[in-house]
Amino acid sequence: MENDKPVIISPSLLSSDFTRLGQELADLEKAGLSWVHWDVMDGAFVPNITFGPPVIAACREKSDLFFDVHLMIENPDRYLDEFTKAGADLLCVHAEACPHLERTVSEIARLGVKPAVAVNPHTSLSVLEFILPQLYMVLVMSVNPGFGGQKFIPFSMEKISRLKDMIEKAGAKTIIQVDGGVTPDNTYELVKRGAGVLVSGSAFFGYPPYKERLEIFESAAVQEAGNQ
């Protein structure tokens, strides 16, 4: 993985202090983080409203972090260009929100950012079968999207394993990301199953200082929780 680390931690800004976003980004970077996760919600696809392109653009000017932008919105095709111009390094759309998913993925790549697709807990991985080689990353939602602080849905573990097998059979290099109920306690199992990027919100931001929390996650990735 990146910088020879066992896993990439992408803290979800949904659990950060919104009154000091710029400082939060600076603190994450200083702590050694390389990615940060933007949960973009429109109040339609999910029952919550969060960030838009202007907020991301303002923060992009102040941060060198990799902006992992997760679009939990209806008809994301309308906004791909805006989020790209705002500074997204990766755009992740939901399979459930894209009737012409291959077209959407191709457009993201054409815009020059990394394409990714998220699947909700109930969604079959079969929707990804023919486009895996086009994807930089697949996001397995291990909670129902919309709010932070939810508990991990257990069957997500098997889903990650199946996705890893699909990627290998397709001869793809697609990264697996997991979002929802991720903590140091389940990090080892997630990485063992094939996860390469973990999104953590309240379980990360709720335990400062960030440098020490990052080290706890990275340590957990290489040893079982009971041996920590």
Side-chain angles (χ1 to χ4, degrees), residues 49-190:
I49 298 174
T50 55
F51 316 102
V55 174
I56 294 175
C59 290
R60 176 79 285 173
E61 295 180 4
K62 304 292 184 181
S63 176
D64 291 325
L65 290 168
F66 183 93
F67 278 14
D68 164 23
V69 180
H70 178 193
L71 301 179
M72 286 177 270
I73 63 177
E74 291 185 350
N75 194 6
D77 300 72
R78 295 174 296 172
Y79 303 104
L80 298 178
D81 189 57
E82 284 189 55
F83 280 104
T84 297
K85 290 177 178 175
D89 293 295
L90 175 151
L91 286 175
C92 182
V93 297
H94 268 262
E96 303 84 2
C98 300
H100 307 289
L101 186 56
E102 195 283 332
R103 179 189 298 167
T104 303
V105 168
S106 292
E107 178 62 11
I108 294 171
R110 189 193 70 79
L111 289 168
V113 294
K114 297 184 185 303
V117 172
V119 287
N120 283 338
H122 73 281
T123 301
S124 171
L125 294 172
S126 62
V127 299
L128 305 172
E129 182 179 358
F130 294 106
I131 62 167
L132 273 177
Q134 294 174 247
L135 300 179
Y136 176 77
M137 188 177 80
V138 171
L139 167 51
V140 175
M141 291 299 301
S142 43
V143 298
N144 288 294
F147 297 95
Q150 300 181 64
K151 291 185 178 180
F152 185 90
I153 296 174
F155 66 65
S156 303
M157 287 293 186
E158 176 61 23
K159 195 171 187 180
I160 295 163
S161 295
R162 292 187 186 184
L163 177 57
K164 181 183 178 183
D165 289 342
M166 284 178 62
I167 291 169
E168 290 176 350
K169 288 178 181 177
K173 296 181 179 180
T174 313
I175 297 170
I176 299 174
Q177 183 180 64
V178 182
D179 183 4
V182 173
T183 72
D185 288 338
N186 58 21
T187 288
Y188 177 81
E189 185 67 19
L190 291 169

